[in-house]
């Protein structure tokens, strides 16, 4: 599946049409996606910010094909950046997985992918995928992918390997 599929599905849903009729200045500000290689926890969310109200809503894609609108609690009042609409941000989730697997091979990592958590964000006028990748043996990968890249193709800008134990604090 690719992002364009979900954008089209969203735009054709009654819940989104109603939302945009009431909030014509709302804009796409982020996306949240999971690829669960070992279970069934695949999730797809596209988030829209309503500038006049200072509110954010997430549109969740259900397995049965339904789209559900969910209000998002904004912890800080920072206005989220708009995903650049002039860029063709269509990417395929399978291609993103291949990019990560290729980099793992280049880094000589033999771990098995378990789950990929992807956040679509705009940072400094560029669209990025910020990925947290769970791998076998309690490993974590932090991967940032610039969707524009040098040649207009997705490119890894950050690739860090961590262990789950790096996040545990020793308590004496």
């Amino acid at each position: 599946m690719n992002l364009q599929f979900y954008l089209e599905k969203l735009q054709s849903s009654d819940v989104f049409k109603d939302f945009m009729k009431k909030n014509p200045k709302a804009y796409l500000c982020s996306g949240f996606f999971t690829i669960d290689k070992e279970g069934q926890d695949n999730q797809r969310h596209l988030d829209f910010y309503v500038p006049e109200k200072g509110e954010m809503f997430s549109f969740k894609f259900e397995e049965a094909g339904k789209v559900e609108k969910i209000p998002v609690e904004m912890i800080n009042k920072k206005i989220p950046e708009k995903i650049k609409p002039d860029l063709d941000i269509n990417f395929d989730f399978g291609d993103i997985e291949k990019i990560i697997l290729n980099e793992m091979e280049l880094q000589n990592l033999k771990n098995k992918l378990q789950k990929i958590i992807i956040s679509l964000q705009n940072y400094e006028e560029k669209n990025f995928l910020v990925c947290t990748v769970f791998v076998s043996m309690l490993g974590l990968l932090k991967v940032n992918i610039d969707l524009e890249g040098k040649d207009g193709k997705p490119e890894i800008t950050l690739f860090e390997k961590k262990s789950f134990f790096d996040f545990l604090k020793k308590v004496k």
Side-chain angles (χ1 to χ4, degrees):
M1 296 282 177
N2 60 36
L3 180 62
Q4 191 63 38
F5 170 82
Y6 291 103
L7 288 170
E8 288 173 9
K9 189 173 182 177
L10 178 64
Q11 291 167 349
S12 67
S13 72
D14 290 337
V15 68
F16 184 72
K17 287 177 185 176
D18 183 55
F19 171 78
M20 288 307 292
K21 186 184 288 186
K22 293 175 183 172
N23 304 288
K25 293 186 179 178
Y27 59 85
L28 177 64
C29 63
S30 63
F32 176 81
F33 314 94
T34 61
I35 302 169
D36 191 344
K37 303 300 289 179
E38 295 187 341
Q40 299 295 318
D41 189 26
N42 295 309
Q43 297 182 37
R44 309 285 189 258
H45 294 255
L46 291 172
D47 304 331
F48 283 76
Y49 181 70
V50 183
E52 301 87 359
K53 299 176 183 175
E55 297 175 338
M56 188 183 309
F57 294 88
S58 184
F59 291 88
K60 179 180 180 182
F61 297 86
E62 301 285 338
E63 293 295 324
K66 271 184 52 181
V67 176
E68 179 185 359
K69 182 179 86 170
I70 303 167
V72 175
E73 181 181 347
M74 295 182 63
I75 297 171
N76 63 22
K77 294 299 176 189
K78 183 178 183 270
I79 296 172
E81 292 194 42
K82 187 177 191 176
I83 299 296
K84 286 175 55 178
D86 55 322
L87 174 68
D88 179 13
I89 59 167
N90 190 28
F91 58 87
D92 186 277
F93 293 101
D95 291 344
I96 298 304
E97 184 178 339
K98 287 177 191 170
I99 290 169
I100 293 169
L101 286 169
N102 288 342
E103 187 64 26
M104 287 175 66
E105 190 174 313
L106 288 172
Q107 302 263 348
N108 201 27
L109 299 176
K110 306 289 185 210
N111 303 67
K112 181 182 170 194
L113 284 182
Q114 295 175 324
K115 188 177 212 173
I116 305 171
I117 300 172
I118 302 170
S119 176
L120 170 63
Q121 301 177 12
N122 183 299
Y123 178 70
E124 295 182 350
E125 299 297 316
K126 287 187 170 188
N127 291 324
F128 277 89
L129 297 179
V130 178
C131 308
T132 301
V133 183
F134 295 86
V135 294
S136 58
M137 300 175 60
L138 297 177
L140 291 172
L141 303 175
K142 183 177 177 182
V143 182
N144 291 356
I145 300 173
D146 178 353
L147 288 175
E148 297 174 49
K150 290 178 185 167
D151 302 326
K153 295 179 181 178
E155 174 185 22
I156 291 180
T157 59
L158 174 74
F159 188 92
E160 291 180 353
K161 183 177 189 284
K162 304 259 185 199
S163 168
F164 179 72
F165 296 109
D166 292 341
F167 298 96
L168 295 179
K169 199 176 187 182
K170 290 186 180 180
V171 180
K172 291 186 177 187

